[in-house]
Amino acid sequence: MRTILFTVFLLWIAVIGQAKDHRIGSAKELEALVLAPGDRVLMAEGDWKDQHLVFKGNGSKALPIVLMAVNPGKTFLTGNSSLVIDGVWLLVDGLSFVNGFLNEGDVIGFSEQSSFCRITNTAVVDYNSPDEKVDYRWLSLRGNHNRVDHCFFKGKRHQGVTLIVWLSEKPNYHQIDHNYFGPRPELGRNGGETIRIGTSTWSFHDSFTIVEENVFEHCDGELEAVSNKSCRNIIRNNLFYECKATLTLRHGNHAEVYGNFFIGNGKPKTGGVRIIGEDHIVHDNYFQDLTGTSVSAAISIMAGLPNPILTSHWQVKNAVIRDNLILNCKEPFAIAAGYNPDRYLLALNTVFAKNIIVSDQSPLKWYDDKVSVLFEDNQLLSKSYAGTPEKGFVLKNESLKKMANGLYLKPGQRAFKPFWESGKIGPSWAKLTTSFLIL
């Protein structure tokens, strides 16, 4: 056994010894390379204008092929520059897309054949067409088992999703983590999501995408900041800071949403989580000072359309909303949000359990009082609540402990540092501020 391991080790050393560094100054030079596992392609510092990079190759888990800026954050892709990642175990590191725009397509695109590829430490900032109706994406995830992490996206003003996950017949298992999504102003129409996982027509396909430990600051492009349009995704431990847009389970089933922070600071129309579809679990999230109502409430359960097509609002079934902390939000729970004479299907088998609501008003807003929802072991904390709490809520005259950073603790919960205070978010070279004021 030792002999076999030693032989493998020697082969690994030999492969490393053969790996090469390639210094390039243009997309044409990248195209001419034949890359092997362990190779690095080093992009010169400076302005790369109108460069259409196609990064191809087949690396390995131990020896990925790397395309990187010699000086991270100092290689500027400008004009109508773009990047395609097409291969296996490819890594892109340290690029900056600025002072440019496209007329269509993707600024950064993972190909359908890509797998186990990664882009990190990279930024796309204000890469806007002069015509805000021109539709293109800043990043498209295709293929499978790809990752986008520690990147920075800010200032998208034109039509189209900032980052989109495309689906196929097989699950894709992508990971989107530790990115900083900066301000996206209101577009004024549909098509301004920050992240969309899937499309309506593919919404009953499994994705198994994980979105975790990202910061969304002032992402206001449209109603949906994160739009879930596929099945079996996990959206956890993210910060939504003063966002008018919501985390919306728009299409697809079996999503799990937990550990997220929604901080409104009383800003107008700030929202939380919107639930549509079947078998979703929304638990252990934190909502504070949100002012949104109806479809933008802290947690809204939507009314459904009869005989829905793929683009419709499907009936809510088997939703579990538990162990969430909701503080001083205008509408903690909106039931049958979006109800109208055509959209009237009642939520079925929906449970609200063990949630803690801090409010001097009723935690429930009924947009259709025919809905039957099970409320169980929820707590309403208030010093001045004058009414009788609804069935399934216990009124308690007590306060929660506030930490120095402005967050509150559940009863019995120990002080903690949220992820944006304890870990690195965004590119290491971007020097982004992750100290958020919580009023």
Side-chain angles (χ1 to χ4, degrees), residues 74-147:
K74 298 297 184 180
T75 296
F76 300 107
L77 283 302
T78 64
N80 64 358
S81 294
S82 62
L83 167 66
V84 174
I85 301 169
D86 183 19
V88 180
W89 292 106
L90 302 178
L91 170 62
V92 176
D93 187 352
L95 308 186
S96 180
F97 287 82
V98 293
N99 299 324
F101 65 93
L102 302 183
N103 291 315
E104 60 182 359
D106 307 310
V107 178
I108 301 169
F110 289 74
S111 76
E112 293 182 2
Q113 291 73 40
S114 65
S115 60
F116 300 100
C117 294
R118 177 185 176 196
I119 188 164
T120 188
N121 209 30
T122 290
V124 184
V125 175
D126 298 326
Y127 214 71
N128 290 303
S129 169
D131 181 357
E132 68 172 23
K133 294 183 180 179
V134 173
D135 190 337
Y136 59 93
R137 287 81 52 183
W138 282 8
L139 194 150
S140 279
L141 267 170
R142 298 179 178 85
N144 63 83
H145 294 89
N146 295 317
R147 183 182 179 194

Side-chain angles (χ1 to χ4, degrees), residues 22-24 41-45 68-75 93-95:
H22 307 268
R23 293 183 178 271
I24 64 169
V41 182
L42 306 177
M43 297 177 63
E45 184 175 320
M68 62 183 294
V70 171
N71 190 350
K74 298 297 184 180
T75 296
D93 187 352
L95 308 186

Side-chain angles (χ1 to χ4, degrees), residues 168-223:
S168 63
E169 293 293 342
K170 295 181 180 179
N172 43 49
Y173 299 99
H174 296 314
Q175 185 172 345
I176 303 166
D177 64 284
H178 297 89
N179 303 289
Y180 196 115
F181 294 92
R184 176 162 191 182
E186 292 184 63
L187 185 64
R189 56 187 175 277
N190 195 30
E193 304 97 329
T194 297
I195 292 179
R196 193 173 79 213
I197 310 170
T199 61
S200 300
T201 52
W202 285 81
S203 55
F204 286 108
H205 287 72
D206 291 339
S207 177
F208 289 99
T209 288
I210 295 175
V211 179
E212 63 181 345
E213 299 199 358
N214 302 282
V215 168
F216 300 86
E217 181 185 12
H218 297 160
C219 292
D220 303 333
E222 58 148 84
L223 178 58

Side-chain angles (χ1 to χ4, degrees), residues 96-347:
S96 180
F97 287 82
V98 293
N99 299 324
F101 65 93
L102 302 183
N103 291 315
E104 60 182 359
D106 307 310
V107 178
I108 301 169
F110 289 74
S111 76
E112 293 182 2
Q113 291 73 40
S114 65
S115 60
F116 300 100
C117 294
R118 177 185 176 196
I119 188 164
T120 188
N121 209 30
T122 290
V124 184
V125 175
D126 298 326
Y127 214 71
N128 290 303
S129 169
D131 181 357
E132 68 172 23
K133 294 183 180 179
V134 173
D135 190 337
Y136 59 93
R137 287 81 52 183
W138 282 8
L139 194 150
S140 279
L141 267 170
R142 298 179 178 85
N144 63 83
H145 294 89
N146 295 317
R147 183 182 179 194
V148 180
D149 68 281
H150 295 90
C151 292
F152 177 40
F153 305 90
K154 181 182 78 72
K156 193 172 194 291
R157 298 192 307 271
H158 63 88
Q159 187 79 25
V161 182
T162 304
L163 189 161
I164 182 169
V165 173
W166 299 97
L167 302 182
S168 63
E169 293 293 342
K170 295 181 180 179
N172 43 49
Y173 299 99
H174 296 314
Q175 185 172 345
I176 303 166
D177 64 284
H178 297 89
N179 303 289
Y180 196 115
F181 294 92
R184 176 162 191 182
E186 292 184 63
L187 185 64
R189 56 187 175 277
N190 195 30
E193 304 97 329
T194 297
I195 292 179
R196 193 173 79 213
I197 310 170
T199 61
S200 300
T201 52
W202 285 81
S203 55
F204 286 108
H205 287 72
D206 291 339
S207 177
F208 289 99
T209 288
I210 295 175
V211 179
E212 63 181 345
E213 299 199 358
N214 302 282
V215 168
F216 300 86
E217 181 185 12
H218 297 160
C219 292
D220 303 333
E222 58 148 84
L223 178 58
E224 302 169 16
V226 175
S227 181
N228 182 85
K229 290 190 173 183
S230 51
C231 297
R232 302 188 184 279
N233 299 311
I234 295 174
I235 304 167
R236 65 188 178 197
N237 302 333
N238 301 281
L239 169 63
F240 296 82
Y241 184 76
E242 296 183 355
C243 293
K244 291 182 180 179
T246 61
L247 192 172
T248 296
L249 306 179
R250 181 62 182 87
H251 291 304
N253 303 319
H254 299 283
E256 186 175 10
V257 175
Y258 69 92
N260 300 285
F261 294 81
F262 299 82
I263 307 298
N265 282 336
K267 301 293 184 181
K269 300 180 181 179
T270 44
V273 176
R274 187 163 66 117
I275 300 173
I276 305 162
E278 301 182 15
D279 301 299
H280 299 309
I281 303 175
V282 177
H283 66 94
D284 293 287
N285 300 285
Y286 183 103
F287 306 83
Q288 184 173 341
D289 296 313
L290 302 174
T291 61
T293 61
S294 184
V295 297
S296 296
I299 298 178
S300 65
I301 299 291
M302 292 287 292
L305 279 167
N307 303 313
I309 59 175
L310 286 173
T311 58
S312 297
H313 288 79
W314 287 66
Q315 188 174 21
V316 176
K317 297 179 182 179
N318 310 319
V320 176
I321 299 95
R322 61 172 175 81
D323 295 296
N324 299 286
L325 178 57
I326 305 176
L327 302 104
N328 306 317
C329 294
K330 188 169 184 178
E331 280 187 13
F333 298 138
I335 310 299
Y339 170 85
N340 60 46
D342 296 318
R343 188 193 301 161
Y344 58 80
L345 289 183
L346 310 179

